[in-house]
Amino acid sequence: MTTATAHAGTAARTCGRETSVTRSLLGYGVIAGPVYVGVSLTEALTRDGFDLTRHAWSLLANGDLGWIHIANFVLAGAMTIAFAAGLRRAHGRGWAPRLLAAYGLSLLAAGAFRADPAQGFPRGVPAGEVSWHGIAHLASGGVGFACLVAACFVLARRFARRGQAAWAWSSRATGALFAAGFLAVASGAGAAWANLAFTGAVVLGWAWISALAVHAYRNA
């Protein structure tokens, strides 16, 4: 075997390992959304007193079984950060991986800072004054949602430059609808339509992340 052949073989193995690591990281983006949404919906349908039309999923972090939703936040956040790292490896530095990593960090913070009980959930626990951890939860959520919306529009611009019109428009639509859902719940004063709009926006946001991860995985 010549030196050139040996070097070529080493380079191929290194490239193969790098691609494998990148795809593994991107794979976390594929499953993060289904895991988070699946666990949240299961909790919402089985926790006593929880009403999907009135209660935000964040309230599930309260009560005896609140640790399940806290773990859900942490797991989803860690997987989103891993996906952002994979996206950076696949497409280079840029704002999109940073914004998605910030969204992942906001999920970790949402798990660390529990939302305050509200609107009769958990059952029998009256809503009191807003606590410091409740404020921190709202702040982390606001920052994270803003980063996710920004990531949608940043990637929409990249897709448009590459001539991928469908991806560009779907990314813009996701960003716009997610922003509208967040504004609805922020201004809806607990109205059922506002809560359902926000829940739909959360599901849409996770669906977009999963689809983006699949797209990046196939092209890694």
Side-chain angles (χ1 to χ4, degrees):
M1 180 183 294
T2 64
T3 301
T5 303
H7 286 170
T10 301
R13 288 192 295 272
T14 301
C15 182
R17 286 195 296 269
E18 291 293 319
T19 301
S20 179
V21 171
T22 299
R23 285 183 169 175
S24 294
L25 291 171
L26 292 172
Y28 285 109
V30 178
I31 64 174
V35 169
Y36 180 79
V37 172
V39 172
S40 297
L41 281 176
T42 300
E43 291 182 276
L45 295 173
T46 57
R47 292 281 300 273
D48 183 43
F50 191 89
D51 185 348
L52 278 167
T53 65
R54 297 174 56 223
H55 302 133
W57 286 354
S58 292
L59 297 180
L60 291 164
N62 292 287
D64 294 339
L65 296 177
W67 64 270
I68 297 175
H69 201 68
I70 292 173
N72 197 26
F73 269 133
V74 172
L75 183 60
M79 288 193 290
T80 302
I81 293 170
F83 164 59
L87 195 65
R88 183 181 183 277
R89 290 168 64 95
H91 297 288
R93 296 181 180 181
W95 276 106
R98 296 172 188 172
L99 290 166
L100 288 169
Y103 177 57
L105 288 172
S106 77
L107 292 170
L108 296 180
F113 305 115
R114 177 171 47 82
D116 291 317
Q119 297 182 322
F121 186 84
R123 190 186 296 277
V125 178
E129 295 183 0
V130 177
S131 67
W132 67 268
H133 56 79
I135 294 174
H137 180 89
L138 292 173
S140 61
V143 171
F145 296 149
C147 287
L148 178 58
V149 170
C152 288
F153 286 102
V154 167
L155 285 170
R157 183 179 179 183
R158 176 183 293 181
F159 286 127
R161 287 200 305 265
R162 294 178 177 177
Q164 297 174 296
W167 270 104
W169 282 108
S170 63
S171 296
R172 291 191 192 102
T174 298
L177 290 172
F178 194 96
F182 178 63
L183 291 175
V185 77
S187 61
W193 69 268
N195 192 64
L196 290 174
F198 178 63
T199 300
V202 170
V203 174
L204 176 63
W206 280 119
W208 177 79
I209 289 176
S210 293
L212 176 65
V214 171
H215 176 76
Y217 184 95
R218 290 174 174 173
N219 293 279

